[in-house]
Amino acid sequence: MGFLNSDPRHCLARITVLLLSWLLVVSPVTAMDKSHRVKAALIYQFAKYTHWPKAMGDTITFCTYGGDTLAGALHTVQNKRVRNMRVDVRHVSSLPEVLRYCQVLFIGAQQSSLPTLLGGLENSAILTVGESKNFTHLGGMINFVRRGLKQKFEINQMATTKANLNLSSKLLQIAVSPRS
Amino acid sequence: MQDMTLNHPFNILLLILVLWAPACLAELDDSELDYSEMDLDELMTQDVYVASVFTAHLHRKNEWMFSYDVSHMRMEDNGNGSDNVSVAQMLDSNGLNYSIAPVKMHMDMEMFHIMYAQSDELTWIVMLQYLHSEMEHVTNSGTFTTEARGWSDTHLKMNLTFYQDSVSHIEHKLMATLGLSLPTGAIDKKDVTPMSGTTKVQLPYPMQLGSGTYDPMLGLSYMGVGDKWYWGAQGIATLHPFGNNANGYRLGNKLAFKSWLNHGVNENVMLFARLDINAQGNIRGEDKNLPAAMKTLVPTADSKLRAYKEARWVLGADYVFSVPLLAGQRIFTEVSKPFYQNLDGPQLKKDVTYHVGWLWVF
């Protein structure tokens, strides 16, 4: 190839320069993927369409668990309002922390501790949101799924009922059926 | 010092990266949509994922795409119709009686695409191409090679989605492509041949880099997008209706049809298979800078021996980076080889083509 066939040293030098320039340009960039931003906005909407069994004061806490990539995007809803409550976003890394602080919990994909975590949250009034293939089967409440180019979600109504969380009929209508 | 000039597309790529990209990103950072202000219904209508199909570009509103890719095409041996024509047949005085037989050609192409989605339905595309071609010839007394390099024609296109529907979570889209090829490629490339001595002479048609004419492009694409499978088909015609170029000829009209099936193995890896069918007509008119007798010496100088039809399979893979540092970036590769060719020959038969590239959507 013209580009690749030239003197190998020049070719290597060119590739090195290109990579360095590329890193120089890209490294300061913290561009958030649109899917992350839409997921964060959907989590905000889920909270709006959910009623908790007990009054929660003037703050509702959205938590992200583990090393997920949604944490940055979720900060875009920091200080927004869900009814009369201010949204606070927090990162947590253990079950006690979840139980102590969170009303909404997002658990990213590839969390090996997912079964343990969801098992520990059974019947707790914490709206769990995930993006793992077996999330609802393990007791999670709302799971993000991709349908074509759109971001959709499934709802595990049994789990929300057990936790005394009341999801609006609008949310239930929009949710897609889980695929076998 | 040649490497420090803008004569080579690589240097232009660097310039764009260093100067232009950060400015664009800074601008975009301010203009990012606040999805948390959208209601649930609006969010559900958002196209969140990019369909990873390079053939039919689907981009979301305000998205930019920049890609740089290189391809290497090889042509080898001659054919006429679907039959092979040997060098001996071409040079034999009782055969075709040419003095020169082309036997091999390499074409390296570096392509830059810049795209901007004015809306979810309308994407503007600029494509620049830099070519380097080498053709090897055999004569009764030896061999020689000619070479040409430089910018080829520039394509300006728009993709317009005019129909879309979603049935059972499968998206169906129909797109029209309208474009214009600008004659930025040279039609006066010259090189030395054994007969010209040290004087550079006009090279035959396949070694010229452009068409020399303003050429409209019209196309239609269908695309289906499921969860993990994408499929589609596209037909694009490049026409040459506006008369001859400055050298007195115009290329034959070209039709390119593609149909593809892509499979997303996981969030990062996509494999694809494609069928490409291409056809081009003969050149109308003749290059006034080629001596009239030249077409009796070498078939590449004969404007009536340029038409072809070919069908080729294409296999490729696409890797999307998911780490935040490389958000929106992907690399891709494809290899293709014809399985059918019908040539108005004798002319060189197309062979395998390799293609690698890097793409950045932001």
Side-chain angles (χ1 to χ4, degrees):
Chain A
M1 265 176 220
F3 176 66
L4 298 176
N5 265 357
S6 50
D7 184 334
R9 285 168 304 173
H10 285 172
C11 181
L12 192 64
R14 281 174 168 176
I15 290 170
T16 307
V17 172
L18 180 63
L19 282 173
L20 287 175
S21 311
W22 179 45
L23 287 172
L24 196 73
V25 169
V26 171
S27 56
V29 176
T30 52
M32 276 185 285
D33 190 86
K34 183 176 179 181
S35 68
H36 293 170
R37 290 185 284 138
V38 168
K39 281 177 184 170
L42 281 168
I43 291 170
Y44 177 52
Q45 293 295 325
F46 296 157
K48 282 184 169 178
Y49 285 98
T50 300
H51 287 271
W52 276 259
K54 286 190 286 187
M56 292 180 288
D58 58 0
T59 303
I60 180 169
T61 306
F62 291 8
C63 300
T64 60
Y65 180 87
D68 67 81
T69 52
L70 202 61
L74 208 53
H75 275 283
T76 59
V77 300
Q78 174 84 35
N79 293 329
K80 287 189 179 282
R81 315 287 302 181
V82 173
R83 294 184 286 279
N84 57 347
M85 296 174 286
R86 183 183 65 82
V87 174
D88 188 31
V89 178
R90 171 186 281 267
H91 183 75
V92 291
S93 51
S94 68
L95 182 59
E97 269 190 288
V98 174
L99 292 167
R100 183 173 175 192
Y101 296 114
C102 312
Q103 281 78 49
V104 179
L105 173 67
F106 175 77
I107 308 164
Q110 297 168 341
Q111 296 292 337
S112 55
S113 55
L114 186 63
T116 317
L117 186 64
L118 289 174
L121 293 174
E122 204 174 359
N123 303 331
S124 302
I126 297 171
L127 183 70
T128 54
V129 183
E131 54 180 2
S132 306
K133 200 173 180 182
N134 52 354
F135 188 76
T136 50
H137 290 125
L138 291 170
M141 296 172 186
I142 301 181
N143 192 35
F144 287 123
V145 288
R146 178 179 173 173
R147 293 285 186 269
L149 302 179
K150 308 282 193 284
Q151 186 64 66
K152 304 283 182 177
F153 56 89
E154 310 163 335
I155 291 179
N156 177 357
Q157 238 182 305
M158 198 184 288
T160 56
T161 307
K162 268 188 183 175
N164 286 322
L165 293 177
N166 185 10
L167 272 54
S168 84
S169 56
K170 177 161 177 108
L171 214 50
L172 297 172
Q173 276 168 11
I174 289 178
V176 297
S177 308
R179 285 190 178 167
S180 51
Chain B
M1 287 303 289
Q2 190 190 351
D3 282 356
M4 298 308 291
T5 70
L6 289 181
N7 289 341
H8 196 282
F10 177 84
N11 299 331
I12 293 179
L13 175 68
L14 276 184
L15 194 69
I16 291 169
L17 272 171
V18 173
L19 298 177
W20 175 71
C24 272
L25 284 164
E27 229 173 73
L28 281 171
D29 195 38
D30 293 332
S31 63
E32 274 184 356
L33 284 170
D34 185 356
Y35 293 99
S36 62
E37 291 296 320
M38 292 183 181
D39 64 27
L40 198 50
D41 293 320
E42 264 184 293
L43 286 169
M44 300 317 290
T45 62
Q46 293 293 311
D47 277 351
V48 173
Y49 296 95
V50 175
S52 186
V53 174
F54 301 118
T55 314
H57 286 275
L58 280 178
H59 292 286
R60 300 173 302 220
K61 186 178 178 182
N62 289 332
E63 231 172 39
W64 286 84
M65 193 208 90
F66 176 75
S67 73
Y68 171 69
D69 48 295
V70 292
S71 68
H72 174 73
M73 185 182 80
R74 208 162 60 200
M75 300 171 88
E76 201 163 358
D77 300 328
N78 288 277
N80 186 11
S82 50
D83 299 327
N84 290 328
V85 179
S86 69
V87 172
Q89 285 173 295
M90 290 179 74
L91 299 182
D92 189 344
S93 57
N94 294 319
L96 296 167
N97 198 23
Y98 287 111
S99 302
I100 303 165
V103 288
K104 211 178 267 185
M105 181 171 174
H106 298 274
M107 185 192 283
D108 301 316
M109 189 186 293
E110 296 177 54
M111 274 181 288
F112 301 89
H113 281 94
I114 300 167
M115 301 193 191
Y116 171 68
Q118 187 177 328
S119 68
D120 286 348
E121 289 77 33
L122 180 60
T123 296
W124 297 95
I125 301 165
V126 178
M127 186 183 79
L128 307 172
Q129 310 170 82
Y130 187 87
L131 299 182
H132 174 215
S133 300
E134 278 184 11
M135 190 180 281
E136 296 175 27
H137 307 77
V138 171
T139 67
N140 283 320
S141 55
T143 63
F144 71 96
T145 300
T146 54
E147 184 192 27
R149 71 168 72 219
W151 292 99
S152 183
D153 291 343
T154 300
H155 294 177
L156 306 177
K157 289 194 281 190
M158 56 172 268
N159 274 355
L160 179 69
T161 303
F162 62 89
Y163 172 83
Q164 49 190 322
D165 196 10
S166 181
V167 181
S168 302
H169 302 301
I170 292 175
E171 310 263 338
H172 301 277
K173 298 192 185 236
L174 282 174
M175 284 164 284
T177 300
L178 294 174
L180 187 68
S181 173
L182 308 179
T184 51
I187 55 169
D188 287 308
K189 294 307 278 189
K190 294 179 170 66
D191 204 355
V192 292
T193 67
M195 279 161 278
S196 72
T198 55
T199 309
K200 287 191 170 183
V201 293
Q202 177 79 358
L203 290 171
Y205 303 105
M207 294 299 285
Q208 297 302 332
L209 304 175
S211 69
T213 50
Y214 289 88
D215 309 320
M217 291 176 285
L218 303 168
L220 195 64
S221 309
Y222 159 75
M223 192 168 158
V225 183
D227 289 358
K228 293 191 171 178
W229 292 89
Y230 305 158
W231 57 93
Q234 180 187 69
I236 289 195
T238 305
L239 308 170
H240 304 273
F242 301 133
N244 293 343
N245 61 27
N247 284 359
Y249 70 93
R250 61 179 122 163
L251 298 181
N253 294 332
K254 186 176 178 184
L255 291 170
F257 173 81
K258 299 171 193 292
S259 63
W260 61 87
L261 180 65
N262 292 23
H263 176 58
V265 178
N266 54 40
E267 291 290 313
N268 304 98
V269 178
M270 175 157 297
L271 303 176
F272 59 90
R274 205 174 69 223
L275 169 71
D276 289 4
I277 298 173
N278 300 304
Q280 184 160 22
N282 275 317
I283 289 169
R284 284 165 285 175
E286 290 192 340
D287 188 342
K288 67 181 183 190
N289 293 331
L290 284 173
M294 193 154 167
K295 63 184 174 192
T296 62
L297 303 178
V298 59
T300 49
D302 191 336
S303 62
K304 299 293 175 242
L305 298 181
R306 301 311 316 150
Y308 71 89
K309 299 184 193 86
E310 65 149 356
R312 59 172 61 222
W313 54 259
V314 185
L315 295 174
D318 172 14
Y319 182 84
V320 182
F321 292 99
S322 54
V323 291
L325 179 69
L326 304 177
Q329 299 186 51
R330 64 179 63 165
I331 49 175
F332 56 93
T333 183
E334 67 176 48
V335 59
S336 73
K337 191 173 169 66
F339 59 86
Y340 167 80
Q341 292 190 71
N342 193 327
L343 311 170
D344 271 12
Q347 61 172 285
L348 280 171
K349 293 168 70 177
K350 290 179 170 56
D351 197 1
V352 69
T353 298
Y354 304 100
H355 197 139
V356 292
W358 162 68
L359 182 153
W360 185 11
V361 177
F362 50 91

